[in-house]
Amino acid sequence: MKGTFAKYILFGLILVLNAISLKASGQDELSITAPTSRISIVDANEITRSFNLQEVADVHYTSEGLLLSDVVQLTQWQREYSLNPIPENKVMWLRFQIQNTGNDNTPLVLIAGNTFVDRIDGFLLDEQGRIIQSIQRNNANPNATSSGIHGFRMSILARPDQALSVYLRVYDDGPAILPVELWNESSFEQQNGIRLILLGALSGGLSLLATYFLITYMLKNAPARFWFAIFAVASMTTLLSAEGILPRLFGLPAYSAEITAFSLTISLFAAIKIGRDIFVPVSRLWLRAHYILLFIPAVTLFLYNDFWQLVSILVVIIAFLSSKLFATLIYRSRIDLRSTIIYFCGWLALGLVAVLEVITFTQGASHLSYSSALPFAFTCFGIMLIGVAIISREHSSVSRHEQEQTDVTEDLRRVADVYHNTAEGLYAATSDGTLVRANSAFVSLFGFESEKELLNQFCKIHELFCDPIEADLLLGELSAQRKVLGKEFKGKRTDGVEFWFSISSQLIESKSEATHYGSVFDITERRANQINMEYLNTHDQLTGFLNRRHFMQLLSDKINESHLNNDQLALFYIDVDQFRIINDSCGHTAGDVFIKELAHELYEVCEPKSIFARLSADKFGLLFHYLEQSKISEMTQNILDQVRDFEFKWDKHRFSQSVSIGIAKYEGTAISAEELLSSADTACIIAKENGRDKVHEFSKEMRIKNNYERELYWVEEINRALDEDAFELFYQHYRPLNKADECDYYEILIRLKTKEGDFIAPEFFMPAAERYNLSNKIDKWVIETYFSWISGKLEQLDSLARCNINITGPSLANEDFQFFLLNAFEKYKIPHNKICFEITEKVAIMKMNDAISFIKQFKRLGCTFALDDFGSGFSSYAYLKNLPVDYLKIDGNFIRNILTDSIDLAMVTSIRDVASAMSIKTVAEFVESNEIMVQLGKMGLDYAQGFSIAEPAPLITFVSYNTVRTE
């Protein structure tokens, strides 16, 4: 092959990078993949149109003298092509097998190479390895057996249950990648006919353009028209030469490259002349640089091999096309915008031709690929646009003055259109609020049919406000500050309907009077959403009653009021007994339904003025005023009786439940809401310990005794576990939702192993650990144990994408812990980018400065960070923008009912949108069914974690997720 020229323009950049890399390293071998000895099989019965064999054909590079019988015995075949040239003194062999699983004969056509490939030999072998067909295409030998004009062509008849082996031998010193396709014969003939029609249409169109511009050049003596005629003819001959038509027509197939290069050079030269005439005056340096570029192809054509010829010529063409596009932008002020756009689009269309051809080439598709119509169309379209730009340029110089006047008129019309048709309501009013003008949006916003009707009925803006005093305040602020922005008021339409609107206005003073101009738009929906968000922020999503955060706020307010009024308050802490039985036997869905029904049962016995809230999963709070102790006893008995009479039904199951109640009274002593709730909680725990379905009232002695004993027990257990190594690491897999990934993602969990062999979850012992400064030791134990385990398992470390490890609050502020962590990474050689530290939302907010400092220090090393239990309160949004985390783990309470609860769906959607805006990945917790996982994937969340993916398991029994899935 002598070189591939005009068809693969942008492909040159790819070749340059590969060629430079190849030359710098001194390698002349091709990039390969793992070797294979099995020959790929293509089912002829499934080829209804065409099949790209680059996806399956095996490749081998041998010496030129190796025979087919020797090649058949080779085993080191590859499955990948390369952009590098075929090594010197070697040939490239391609092989694949055709089988017909159908019942009828299937005629096929094998297409390989293109006009510029030097030589291709094709061999068709039967099951016994006998050659039944041999075809050759050789540019140096026009009488070769292949009849393809553009490339190699072999007709193959695939008979039923017959296995045919195809071997292709390619002699060439250009890029090793070449199109190899297997076509259904009828589809090939049809598509080949379409291609010839397109070639004929393009040639005819270019001929007509050239003739028209040559004749008009003689009439108008416009040089640009003459050079465009030359450009159109040269472009046509370049295309026909690249397609192999002209070389075959003149009996010179071996000189296809030279003919194409000559035609291409003339095209570029004519394009330079066109640019010089359009961009008058043009820089001489720009012209000389382009003329020099034209000499490079001629020099490389005789001094270098085909590969480097292709690289140099395509670099020239890329530089030329780029310069034409940049010149259009640089010199656009010298011609009218219309001509600039047309001229730019013309060259852009030619650039798109190059892009399409490069894509087709790099995918190994032939000249009969589905995209062939686009290059032909864009070529004709691009050249035509360049011609139109020449004509437009001539006309613009004549009509410029008229156009300037038209532009002035058009600008005035556009200003009027913008004023009348903008989506925002615009108005003008005098300084006292008298309306002067209003656009259509303003008129429609307040319910009128026309501006005239509005001005006749409401002459002042005061009449548009629900409260006219607000209009006076607006005018007063406007008079003082000269400008107001985004003020929100409630207005009324002509039919009396009230709505919210936002107004911005500015006061402009002129010689005659002061006028203010403003814009108004409807914000009713936004205000409604704001109200909804406030509701979501203060109410539990499942039951609809108050949530814990808002309950604590109201409790604090009531304590302050009672302190002033000497009122007596009773706080009930209600804990559902054995709620876990329903969850374990019927699932979380049944548990949610049960909690919702039970909450309404409890609310029925509450007094109208009492405050009732859901504090956590199975715990409720009740606050009310009382005058006598008998009122508390009556309320207690009503609650116990109501729950005892309540029977929950789910499928065939029936459950009778009970509750334990802790009571804490506020009688004017100085105590906070948190302390009062803690007292009620302590009393409730004692009620449970006394046998459940009980009530216990808090006393001061109880707080000291029980809290102290309980925390002391866990402190002793933690110290024992640290001394006896009685902690156990568990892991739980989680997976990406938007991609297939063979790597492992999991979170490390800790359990405390009791003397009886039971495993205790961290929520039971970690509060005491943090209170008595033991959590830091636990964090160190987790990291030391896990790092030691993973460092000795290179296979698991290689397959690990990310391991999540929880960090407690005290560790964030402990400088010694940070030094320990840095040394642990160094000691066990753990890559930083494989570790993601999790910090709970509560800890991140309470220890904001420590968390930010810790995150920044280890993010610089490559670690990532996740914010755990995110979404428990909307206030977290205010802190999120200050925390440089990489992942948000959405609280599972929003995930479990996402398929049935529109509020949960809206909450998760909101968190996803905020995270996406901040480039933070999202992880959904408590994913307990495939249906939920599918919904989360559709919503665009990134990861899912829960029992639907995998359950927690001891780390010592670790199994890769992909192994579990395969089994």
Side-chain angles (χ1 to χ4, degrees):
M1 160 183 150
K2 300 301 181 182
T4 305
F5 301 94
K7 293 189 61 178
Y8 310 126
I9 295 174
L10 292 184
F11 180 60
L13 183 58
I14 303 173
L15 288 176
V16 170
L17 297 177
N18 279 271
I20 293 173
S21 174
L22 179 63
K23 202 160 189 177
S25 62
Q27 297 177 353
D28 59 355
E29 292 295 324
L30 304 171
S31 62
I32 61 175
T33 55
T36 179
S37 59
R38 296 181 60 187
I39 187 168
S40 301
I41 300 175
V42 179
D43 190 348
N45 189 50
E46 294 181 356
I47 301 177
T48 58
R49 190 174 184 276
S50 67
F51 183 77
N52 188 352
L53 293 171
Q54 279 201 1
E55 300 175 359
V56 299
D58 300 329
V59 183
H60 207 301
Y61 299 90
T62 69
S63 59
E64 294 183 353
L66 201 63
L67 300 177
L68 174 63
S69 57
D70 298 324
V71 173
V72 173
Q73 304 301 322
L74 296 177
T75 59
Q76 298 298 316
W77 292 83
Q78 313 301 327
R79 287 281 176 85
E80 185 174 300
Y81 290 80
S82 172
L83 298 177
N84 299 327
I86 298 176
E88 188 176 358
N89 299 324
K90 288 192 177 184
V91 295
M92 179 173 67
W93 286 86
L94 307 175
R95 74 170 187 178
F96 61 93
Q97 193 174 79
I98 302 174
Q99 286 189 350
N100 187 357
T101 59
N103 298 322
D104 301 319
N105 293 339
T106 302
L108 304 172
V109 176
L110 174 63
I111 302 298
N114 50 53
T115 304
F116 307 106
V117 176
D118 293 343
R119 174 180 168 184
I120 300 179
D121 297 333
F123 305 95
L124 186 65
L125 284 65
D126 60 10
E127 293 93 333
Q128 289 76 34
R130 297 173 299 185
I131 300 176
I132 60 176
Q133 187 177 356
S134 175
I135 292 180
Q136 178 189 109
R137 185 187 188 282
N138 191 345
N139 276 344
N141 180 14
N143 298 320
T145 54
S146 177
S147 60
I149 295 177
H150 190 273
F152 175 87
R153 171 179 173 179
M154 173 187 283
S155 298
I156 300 173
L157 181 63
R159 304 180 185 278
D161 299 324
Q162 181 185 30
L164 300 175
S165 299
V166 179
Y167 286 80
L168 297 178
R169 179 168 54 198
V170 181
Y171 296 82
D172 197 39
D173 56 357
I177 189 169
L178 75 161
V180 184
E181 291 185 337
L182 195 61
W183 282 75
N184 181 280
E185 186 178 57
S186 60
S187 297
F188 174 81
E189 296 300 337
Q190 180 183 5
Q191 191 68 18
N192 194 33
I194 294 174
R195 169 179 163 266
L196 293 176
I197 292 173
L198 291 172
L199 281 172
L202 178 59
S203 301
L206 294 178
S207 299
L208 289 174
L209 282 174
T211 303
Y212 169 77
F213 275 83
L214 186 61
I215 293 174
T216 54
Y217 158 71
M218 291 184 290
L219 296 175
K220 296 189 175 185
N221 193 25
R225 292 179 178 250
F226 170 78
W227 290 114
F228 179 78
I230 300 299
F231 176 72
V233 174
S235 298
M236 178 182 66
T237 57
T238 300
L239 176 64
L240 295 179
S241 298
E243 293 291 330
I245 296 176
L246 284 184
R248 292 282 177 175
L249 183 63
F250 294 108
L252 300 171
Y255 295 95
S256 299
E258 284 77 3
I259 297 173
T260 305
F262 179 74
S263 300
L264 181 61
T265 303
I266 294 177
S267 298
L268 297 179
F269 180 79
I272 295 172
K273 293 293 187 180
I274 294 172
R276 184 195 64 180
D277 291 335
I278 284 188
F279 300 117
V280 176
V282 72
S283 170
R284 291 186 178 181
L285 180 62
W286 185 84
L287 284 173
R288 291 172 182 174
H290 282 71
Y291 290 143
I292 293 174
L293 283 175
L294 296 182
F295 286 100
I296 296 178
V299 174
T300 56
L301 192 63
F302 299 101
L303 297 181
Y304 296 97
N305 62 20
D306 290 353
F307 181 80
W308 287 102
Q309 292 172 21
L310 176 61
V311 171
S312 61
I313 292 174
L314 293 182
V315 167
V316 170
I317 297 173
I318 292 171
F320 179 83
L321 278 174
S322 300
S323 70
K324 296 297 287 186
L325 294 176
F326 281 113
T328 308
L329 299 176
I330 294 172
Y331 296 116
R332 67 183 185 275
S333 59
R334 300 182 182 179
I335 61 175
D336 62 289
L337 181 60
R338 180 183 61 188
S339 302
T340 302
I341 294 175
I342 296 174
Y343 191 71
F344 181 85
C345 291
W347 285 108
L348 186 62
L350 296 180
L352 289 175
V353 173
V355 173
L356 292 172
E357 289 299 315
V358 169
I359 292 174
T360 302
F361 182 81
T362 54
Q363 292 177 348
S366 75
H367 59 290
L368 295 181
S369 63
Y370 68 93
S371 63
S372 294
L374 293 177
F376 292 138
F378 277 120
T379 299
C380 190
F381 183 65
I383 295 175
M384 181 187 67
L385 284 180
I386 295 173
V388 172
I390 294 173
I391 298 175
S392 176
R393 167 64 169 147
E394 295 172 356
H395 291 173
S396 64
S397 60
V398 176
S399 58
R400 181 169 302 168
H401 180 68
E402 295 178 359
Q403 186 62 42
E404 289 176 355
Q405 293 180 337
T406 303
D407 289 342
V408 173
T409 305
E410 186 67 16
D411 287 342
L412 294 175
R413 186 186 64 81
R414 288 173 182 169
V415 170
D417 287 344
V418 169
Y419 175 78
H420 288 290
N421 300 320
T422 185
E424 290 189 10
L426 302 178
Y427 74 94
T430 60
S431 57
D432 63 349
T434 303
L435 287 170
V436 177
R437 294 201 63 186
N439 70 344
S440 301
F442 187 92
V443 171
S444 176
L445 181 63
F446 288 94
F448 293 92
E449 295 292 333
S450 65
E451 179 185 15
K452 183 178 180 180
E453 181 185 357
L454 170 66
L455 297 178
N456 288 337
Q457 187 169 345
F458 291 144
C459 61
K460 285 184 175 291
I461 63 172
H462 299 70
E463 301 173 66
L464 302 175
F465 286 70
C466 286
D467 186 357
I469 296 178
E470 292 181 342
D472 291 328
L473 294 176
L474 173 67
L475 294 177
E477 183 177 352
L478 187 62
S479 176
Q481 300 182 5
R482 324 302 288 178
K483 180 189 295 185
V484 293
L485 298 174
K487 292 291 184 178
E488 297 181 359
F489 299 102
K490 184 179 288 188
K492 60 180 179 181
R493 296 187 174 91
T494 184
D495 57 1
V497 176
E498 296 181 352
F499 69 102
W500 284 91
F501 65 88
S502 175
I503 184 170
S504 298
S505 188
Q506 184 172 2
L507 187 65
I508 304 296
E509 293 187 359
S510 61
K511 294 181 180 180
S512 57
E513 61 178 357
T515 304
H516 72 263
Y517 302 89
S519 63
V520 176
F521 59 93
D522 192 343
I523 60 168
T524 304
E525 183 177 355
R526 192 186 77 190
R527 292 284 296 193
N529 292 336
Q530 183 178 350
I531 295 172
N532 291 336
M533 294 295 281
E534 291 174 356
Y535 178 85
L536 294 174
N537 196 27
T538 57
H539 288 73
D540 175 57
Q541 309 305 312
L542 177 63
T543 63
F545 295 110
L546 298 179
N547 59 21
R548 182 189 185 96
R549 189 179 66 83
H550 193 53
F551 179 79
M552 294 301 293
Q553 183 179 356
L554 294 178
L555 176 59
S556 180
D557 294 340
K558 289 294 183 181
I559 290 176
N560 293 333
E561 293 176 5
S562 300
H563 183 69
L564 297 176
N565 303 328
N566 294 323
D567 292 335
Q568 298 182 104
L569 297 175
L571 175 61
F572 281 27
Y573 193 94
I574 306 170
D575 190 352
V576 181
D577 296 332
Q578 299 180 340
F579 169 63
R580 188 173 181 180
I581 295 176
I582 299 177
N583 271 342
D584 292 343
S585 58
C586 300
H588 287 288
T589 301
D592 290 343
V593 174
F594 166 74
I595 287 295
K596 189 173 182 179
E597 293 182 2
L598 180 62
H600 287 275
E601 292 287 334
L602 293 173
Y603 185 71
E604 285 184 1
V605 300
C606 295
E607 293 185 350
K609 295 183 179 181
S610 60
I611 301 175
F612 180 72
R614 185 189 182 196
L615 302 180
S616 62
D618 56 348
K619 296 175 178 60
F620 299 90
L622 173 63
L623 179 68
F624 62 93
H625 290 274
Y626 74 96
L627 298 176
E628 298 178 354
Q629 181 67 28
S630 59
K631 182 65 176 179
I632 297 178
S633 301
E634 179 185 352
M635 179 63 70
T636 302
Q637 193 61 44
N638 289 341
I639 293 175
L640 293 176
D641 293 342
Q642 185 80 355
V643 176
R644 289 166 185 165
D645 295 339
F646 170 64
E647 184 180 56
F648 177 67
K649 302 175 183 178
W650 185 265
D651 292 338
K652 298 180 181 180
H653 301 280
R654 294 175 180 268
F655 299 93
S656 295
Q657 270 289 354
S658 62
V659 295
S660 299
I661 304 176
I663 303 174
K665 295 188 292 184
Y666 176 79
E667 298 174 331
T669 58
I671 188 173
S672 66
E674 290 77 10
E675 290 174 323
L676 188 63
L677 183 64
S678 177
S679 300
D681 184 14
T682 301
C684 183
I685 292 174
I686 295 176
K688 274 183 170 292
E689 293 174 349
N690 290 337
R692 306 181 188 273
D693 195 25
K694 303 290 184 180
V695 180
H696 200 92
E697 188 171 324
F698 176 80
S699 64
K700 294 181 180 180
E701 294 78 11
M702 180 194 313
R703 175 190 302 227
I704 297 174
K705 180 180 178 181
N706 287 278
N707 281 353
Y708 176 76
E709 290 180 353
R710 189 176 295 105
E711 290 184 346
L712 183 61
Y713 168 78
W714 285 121
V715 169
E716 292 175 354
E717 283 293 295
I718 292 169
N719 285 322
R720 179 191 64 81
L722 290 171
D723 294 337
E724 300 175 5
D725 201 23
F727 284 113
E728 185 82 17
L729 288 186
F730 279 57
Y731 75 99
Q732 184 180 24
H733 285 292
Y734 67 96
R735 301 303 299 165
L737 292 172
N738 52 12
K739 64 179 179 179
D741 198 332
E742 298 297 325
C743 297
D744 286 319
Y745 301 78
Y746 54 81
E747 178 182 354
I748 293 297
L749 310 170
I750 188 172
R751 300 289 187 269
L752 192 155
K753 190 173 183 180
T754 64
K755 295 178 181 179
E756 293 77 19
D758 297 327
F759 288 107
I760 305 301
E763 54 262 29
F764 291 97
F765 60 83
M766 283 306 294
E770 293 186 11
R771 181 178 178 86
Y772 290 92
N773 298 321
L774 294 174
S775 62
N776 185 261
K777 295 182 179 180
I778 296 176
D779 288 345
K780 289 183 178 180
W781 185 91
V782 171
I783 291 170
E784 184 80 25
T785 305
Y786 174 71
F787 279 17
S788 175
W789 177 84
I790 193 67
S791 66
K793 296 176 173 55
L794 297 181
E795 182 178 351
Q796 283 88 341
L797 186 61
D798 290 339
S799 64
L800 174 62
R802 190 172 300 107
C803 170
N804 290 36
I805 301 176
N806 292 275
I807 299 294
T808 59
S811 296
L812 295 176
N814 190 308
E815 186 176 0
D816 177 66
F817 176 78
Q818 297 183 21
F819 293 147
F820 161 79
L821 190 55
L822 292 171
N823 291 326
F825 275 110
E826 183 66 23
K827 175 182 177 181
Y828 293 104
K829 308 298 182 185
I830 306 299
H832 294 83
N833 63 344
K834 291 183 179 288
I835 303 300
C836 176
F837 293 113
E838 291 191 14
I839 304 172
T840 63
E841 180 182 9
K842 178 181 177 182
V843 169
I845 293 175
M846 293 179 61
K847 296 180 177 291
M848 176 70 72
N849 294 333
D850 294 332
I852 293 175
S853 176
F854 187 90
I855 292 173
K856 287 183 177 180
Q857 177 177 352
F858 285 92
K859 277 179 72 73
R860 287 194 293 265
L861 299 177
C863 297
T864 53
F865 286 83
L867 195 59
D868 199 9
D869 297 333
F870 184 81
S872 56
F874 266 78
S875 61
S876 55
Y877 282 159
Y879 300 99
L880 181 60
K881 61 183 179 182
N882 297 319
L883 290 170
V885 296
D886 306 279
Y887 303 91
L888 292 184
K889 300 193 73 173
I890 303 176
D891 190 88
N893 290 324
F894 301 123
I895 302 300
R896 286 203 299 261
N897 300 314
I898 197 170
L899 297 177
T900 57
D901 195 319
S902 60
I903 295 178
D904 284 347
L905 181 65
M907 296 279 285
V908 175
T909 301
S910 172
I911 296 173
R912 178 207 63 193
D913 292 341
V914 172
S916 176
M918 300 180 67
S919 299
I920 298 176
K921 301 291 185 181
T922 50
V923 183
E925 297 181 303
F926 288 83
V927 179
E928 298 178 350
S929 69
N930 290 331
E931 293 78 8
I932 292 177
M933 184 165 59
V934 170
Q935 175 64 25
L936 295 172
K938 292 179 180 179
M939 294 173 63
L941 270 73
D942 300 293
Y943 298 89
Q945 181 178 3
F947 282 14
S948 178
I949 307 297
E951 297 185 11
L955 186 62
I956 58 175
T957 65
F958 178 83
V959 179
S960 174
Y961 179 81
N962 297 297
T963 303
V964 175
R965 183 178 57 180
T966 303
E967 293 175 355

